[in-house]
């Protein structure tokens, strides 16, 4: 079953673009890739979801190469409020193997 | 629409006691799933309910149980509490229109219940 691997932590400065990559070598054909953001003492919040190629919304972009074995979450021009933990989730997550990764703790500095 | 509501927000219990946590999903959402989050283990799936039936279950002991009511509200119960049960317990709802979860379903999380076992 697919397992996700992300960097444990990343640092950035306000105004920079941040790219967080998630590896999921054993992704299944019907799996989607979803990213969530979590602030302390709150539940994760949906950011973006994709299946292949590139997806963009008002807060982020998601790049998925043709082999789908990895994905990159791109946050343009981060601010201090983007300091959070970012989770890459490969699903469908309707099974006992809940494939939330360990998450990437992003710290944005002034 | 109101978001996912979890009560209580904080809870302190002692070893051996039992606890019941409540979750009200977003209106119209029929699937409710529960997760345990700890600093050491991260986010772990407990179980999922759909139309009052447990649809999936994670690898947790039988002390952890749940149920879902006809209005989709859900409760989870932990009996004989242990120190290691201290965690943030998160509930998430999703639309889940059919018997099987759609591959691209999104989860909507509540703010969680912070349980401390002393």
């Amino acid at each position: 079953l697919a397992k996700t691997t992300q960097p444990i932590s990343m640092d950035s400065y306000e105004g920079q673009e941040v790219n967080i990559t998630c590896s999921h070598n054993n992704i299944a054909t019907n799996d989607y890739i979803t990213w969530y953001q979590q602030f302390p003492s709150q539940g994760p919040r949906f950011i973006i979801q994709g299946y292949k190629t590139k997806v963009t919304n008002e807060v982020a972009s998601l790049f998925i190469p043709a082999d789908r074995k990895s994905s990159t979450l791109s946050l343009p021009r981060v601010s201090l409020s983007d300091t959070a933990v970012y989770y890459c989730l490969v699903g469908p997550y309707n099974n006992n193997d809940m494939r939330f990764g360990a998450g990437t703790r992003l710290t944005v500095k002034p | 629409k109101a978001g996912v509501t979890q009560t209580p927000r904080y809870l302190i219990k002692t070893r051996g006691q039992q606890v019941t946590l409540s979750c009200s999903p977003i209106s119209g959402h029929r699937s409710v799933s529960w997760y345990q989050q700890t600093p050491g283990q991260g986010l772990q799936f407990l179980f999922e309910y759909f139309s009052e039936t447990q649809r999936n279950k994670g690898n947790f002991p039988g002390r952890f149980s749940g149920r879902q009511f006809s209005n989709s509200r859900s409760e989870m119960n932990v009996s004989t509490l242990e120190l290691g049960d201290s965690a943030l317990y998160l509930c998430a709802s999703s639309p889940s229109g059919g018997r099987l979860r759609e591959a691209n379903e999104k989860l909507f999380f509540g703010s969680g219940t912070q349980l401390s076992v002393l």
Side-chain angles (χ1 to χ4, degrees):
Chain A
L1 296 171
K3 175 185 175 181
T4 60
T5 304
Q6 309 171 228
I8 296 297
S9 64
M10 294 181 69
D11 290 341
S12 183
Y13 291 92
E14 284 189 290
Q16 289 188 332
E17 178 184 75
V18 171
N19 296 310
I20 306 174
T21 296
C22 178
S23 297
H24 28 80
N25 291 320
N26 296 327
I27 188 170
T29 303
N30 60 345
D31 283 345
Y32 277 73
I33 300 154
T34 312
W35 285 80
Y36 290 85
Q37 174 193 55
Q38 186 177 26
F39 298 111
S41 300
Q42 292 186 26
R45 184 183 70 165
F46 171 86
I47 301 176
I48 196 166
Q49 182 184 73
Y51 183 81
K52 61 180 179 180
T53 64
K54 177 184 174 182
V55 179
T56 297
N57 62 21
E58 62 278 6
V59 298
S61 294
L62 180 59
F63 299 91
I64 305 169
D67 65 8
R68 304 201 327 124
K69 293 184 183 299
S70 66
S71 58
T72 299
L73 172 72
S74 181
L75 304 172
R77 299 179 298 282
V78 293
S79 64
L80 297 177
S81 62
D82 292 317
T83 293
V85 178
Y86 292 82
Y87 291 96
C88 163
L89 175 64
V90 176
Y93 25 80
N94 59 338
N95 53 39
N96 293 342
D97 184 22
M98 187 59 185
R99 286 172 283 180
F100 265 109
T104 298
R105 184 174 300 278
L106 173 65
T107 302
V108 180
K109 303 174 183 178
Chain B
K1 274 186 181 181
V4 177
T5 304
Q6 290 188 247
T7 56
R9 187 74 178 87
Y10 300 95
L11 206 49
I12 300 175
K13 292 286 187 178
T14 56
R15 278 186 304 172
Q17 287 186 310
Q18 75 161 14
V19 66
T20 299
L21 311 181
S22 179
C23 173
S24 294
I26 291 172
S27 177
H29 285 193
R30 299 169 64 186
S31 167
V32 173
S33 48
W34 289 88
Y35 306 86
Q36 181 195 66
Q37 186 172 34
T38 60
Q41 298 297 321
L43 263 164
Q44 296 187 88
F45 171 69
L46 282 157
F47 29 66
E48 183 213 357
Y49 287 86
F50 174 78
S51 290
E52 302 179 65
T53 301
Q54 189 179 83
R55 183 157 71 173
N56 289 292
K57 187 178 188 302
N59 297 320
F60 277 81
R63 298 186 297 107
F64 292 82
S65 63
R67 59 177 176 170
Q68 186 180 34
F69 302 96
S70 58
N71 61 359
S72 292
R73 190 177 71 84
S74 178
E75 289 181 347
M76 71 161 280
N77 184 277
V78 187
S79 62
T80 319
L81 284 166
E82 300 176 359
L83 296 179
D85 296 333
S86 294
L88 179 66
Y89 289 88
L90 293 161
C91 162
S93 73
S94 60
S96 208
R99 187 176 60 84
L100 296 177
R101 185 190 286 283
E102 296 294 328
N104 61 345
E105 272 194 29
K106 302 174 185 63
L107 296 173
F108 296 82
F109 286 85
S111 295
T113 294
Q114 184 68 54
L115 172 65
S116 297
V117 182
L118 306 178

